Amino acid sequence: MNQPATKVLVIGYVWPEPRSSAAGGHMMQILETFLTQGWDITFSSPAALGEHKADLAALGIAECAIELNNGSFDDFICELAPDIVLFDRFMMEEQFGWRVEKCCPHALRVLETSDLQSLRDARHQRLRDHLKAHPDGEDFSALFTPALKQEFQLMADTDLAKREIAAIYRCDISLMISDVEIRLLIEQFKVPAALLHWCPLMMQPPTAAFAPFEDRAHFLSIGNFRHAPNWDAVLWMKNSVWPLIRQQLPGAQLHIYGAYTPPKATALHNAAQGFHVMNWAEDALQVMSAARICLAPLRFGAGIKGKLADAMLCGTPNVTTPIGAEAMGDDQPWPGAIEQNAPALAAAAVALYQDRERWTQAQEQGRQLLARRYDQALHGPALVACLEQCRRNLAAHRRDNFTGSMLRHHAHKSTQYMSQWIEAKNRTV
């Protein structure tokens, strides 16, 4: 007799847009991994439909719009009775986690962190402080190389970190895209390793020949304009990095692609300077494959960078910062260059653009890096095995995570007591 299919409910911060952001792409990779297991998936979200939403129904994934602070969600989840609930970002766990606890207490709770937003936010504040203190400075090495203890000290007193890490404790497993962030949580925040699972971008390593050096032209930058680190990188390129490249390569062209292009980005377009704001790319891999260099001068951020993984997938060497390369590489040579200030970034970009031998070597290093760290054939089964093992041992797993059980208890009881208080108050009015 066949066992019923595992039921998965995903509560999405947004509807996935794999062609707009790395987070959307990663969510689709997770969903596709679940589909290969024959799992029954329902994707829900309180968000409005985006312009580039994936066609989930075509994949056999049910869709359901939900509302914040609406008791109808209780009826919906009780009827669905999922075996696994995946929260997309910690804010969804905050909003809906207590309802899941009330209606489906035995469902495995999984948090897709995407990246540590509290780390990204703290780094953004550090950049603001640095720019205020050094408005004309171009050396950002102090921002790029702090020890994990310093990152902890930057984050520990923030409201965002306390909220995010509380959500991690309340969940049974949190999917971490960055192994650096795993180390930060374990070593500095003392989060138990059993609550964290490394789940980076899951890709099929390229096997076909890449477009060669001679068939490539121009520089490319790509990224969702709604993502603050991307917008900051565009401004830094416009004001500092790109003028230095054009001094050495007067005919150079930079094509900047990004979803949800705001007027402030369009206003930066200047064909005379070779600075082209191109809006959204219908096929990001196609434009990446035609470019000779991918520029990603990120001054803050967290997680790992989908644009750099896509560059490796297309055989396009990249020039980035230590923030861009964080958690993406290993002890082998980087497929391009990593620099810490505008002159060094520009010099590396120009040298790589003109040196066919070095460029070809970087291209192959990217192929090898993808195979070592991002092979879907490795990470997909590892994710499924982690979730299934946790489900089999859920009672013991939760007992060992007493802090999480305590936080779930108080979240549920607090809302229960508040509801009872409101009902009693209404009866006396």
Side-chain angles (χ1 to χ4, degrees):
M1 184 175 179
N2 292 332
Q3 292 288 331
T6 297
K7 289 185 182 179
V8 180
L9 171 64
V10 181
I11 303 177
Y13 178 63
V14 294
W15 296 92
E17 296 189 9
R19 294 186 296 171
S20 297
S21 70
H26 193 234
M27 175 55 72
M28 292 304 298
Q29 292 164 1
I30 292 170
L31 295 177
E32 288 162 4
T33 297
F34 293 169
L35 287 172
T36 62
Q37 301 301 306
W39 292 357
D40 184 358
I41 306 172
T42 299
F43 195 102
S44 63
S45 178
L49 300 180
E51 294 178 24
H52 313 300
K53 171 186 168 294
D55 189 353
L56 300 178
L59 298 174
I61 298 173
E63 300 180 10
C64 182
I66 55 177
E67 296 181 14
L68 297 174
N69 302 318
N70 191 319
S72 64
F73 179 82
D74 296 358
D75 298 331
F76 160 67
I77 194 172
C78 286
E79 182 178 352
L80 184 64
D83 303 296
I84 299 173
V85 177
L86 189 150
F87 302 100
D88 175 27
R89 263 58 79 83
F90 79 91
M91 298 83 76
M92 292 299 95
E93 191 281 334
E94 284 184 327
Q95 292 289 340
F96 294 98
W98 66 274
R99 294 188 182 277
V100 172
E101 179 71 12
K102 178 175 70 171
C103 301
C104 301
H106 302 298
L108 182 72
R109 301 162 63 106
V110 183
L111 178 62
E112 157 62 344
T113 60
S114 186
D115 60 23
L116 279 181
Q117 295 181 50
S118 52
L119 174 61
R120 186 204 319 153
D121 187 73
R123 286 173 167 174
H124 195 180
Q125 185 58 51
R126 181 165 56 200
L127 173 62
R128 293 191 193 101
D129 294 342
H130 181 88
L131 292 175
K132 186 176 180 180
H134 310 281
D136 299 320
E138 282 297 346
D139 184 2
F140 297 96
S141 56
L143 279 67
F144 293 148
T145 56
L148 291 181
K149 185 175 182 179
Q150 291 174 273
E151 300 285 31
F152 168 76
Q153 292 169 345
L154 192 68
M155 299 165 63
D157 293 331
T158 66
D159 176 74
L160 197 59
K162 291 169 184 175
R163 290 171 54 199
E164 189 166 28
I165 292 171
I168 288 173
Y169 269 105
R170 286 192 297 264
C171 288
D172 300 307
I173 291 291
S174 289
L175 307 184
M176 306 298 302
I177 205 166
S178 162
D179 51 2
V180 171
E181 292 176 7
I182 290 177
R183 286 178 48 219
L184 174 64
L185 290 174
I186 293 174
E187 295 175 11
Q188 300 301 320
F189 287 93
K190 309 304 179 185
V191 174
L195 300 184
L196 309 173
H197 176 75
W198 183 45
C199 183
L201 296 173
M202 297 181 281
M203 313 176 80
Q204 293 184 346
T207 56
F210 293 129
F213 180 85
E214 294 80 8
D215 294 346
R216 308 280 194 120
H218 310 314
F219 295 84
L220 175 140
S221 180
I222 192 166
N224 191 324
F225 283 108
R226 289 179 175 175
H227 191 54
N230 292 337
W231 173 239
D232 177 75
V234 170
L235 293 177
W236 195 27
M237 281 189 290
K238 174 70 173 180
N239 297 325
S240 300
V241 180
W242 186 244
L244 295 174
I245 292 176
R246 285 277 289 191
Q247 286 178 12
Q248 300 172 73
L249 296 175
Q253 306 293 311
L254 171 61
H255 296 159
I256 300 174
Y257 293 89
Y260 301 104
T261 309
K264 64 181 181 180
T266 305
L268 299 180
H269 178 87
N270 190 319
Q273 297 174 355
F275 198 90
H276 303 272
V277 179
M278 309 293 289
N279 208 329
W280 183 66
E282 182 70 30
D283 187 338
L285 297 184
Q286 189 276 324
V287 297
M288 183 71 79
S289 296
R292 187 174 290 180
I293 302 292
C294 172
L295 291 179
L298 295 157
R299 293 193 289 189
F300 73 98
I304 61 177
K305 312 306 177 290
K307 60 178 68 63
L308 298 183
D310 283 348
M312 297 178 219
L313 194 64
C314 297
T316 307
N318 70 80
V319 177
T320 189
T321 64
I323 289 289
E326 181 180 83
M328 293 210 65
D330 48 25
D331 57 358
Q332 299 301 307
W334 180 254
I338 303 170
E339 300 294 347
Q340 301 188 23
N341 56 65
L345 285 161
V350 169
L352 196 56
Y353 193 89
Q354 296 179 312
D355 188 338
R356 182 186 187 280
E357 183 178 351
R358 175 70 188 94
W359 185 93
T360 303
Q361 183 182 43
Q363 185 181 70
E364 183 57 31
Q365 288 165 346
R367 185 200 298 271
Q368 294 171 5
L369 179 54
L370 283 183
R372 289 194 305 270
R373 286 182 66 85
Y374 302 104
D375 191 344
Q376 187 175 28
L378 298 175
H379 293 293
L383 171 59
V384 172
C386 172
L387 299 185
E388 290 186 335
Q389 180 182 13
C390 193
R391 284 187 64 201
R392 286 193 299 268
N393 302 288
L394 188 57
H397 183 81
R398 288 182 173 175
R399 193 180 306 117
D400 291 341
N401 177 24
F402 177 79
T403 300
S405 297
M406 178 176 62
L407 290 172
R408 284 197 307 275
H409 170 83
H410 282 284
H412 176 48
K413 289 298 182 182
S414 295
T415 54
Q416 184 182 56
Y417 296 151
M418 179 60 70
S419 297
Q420 292 172 350
W421 180 82
I422 292 173
E423 289 175 5
K425 187 173 186 295
N426 289 338
R427 285 196 298 269
T428 61
V429 173

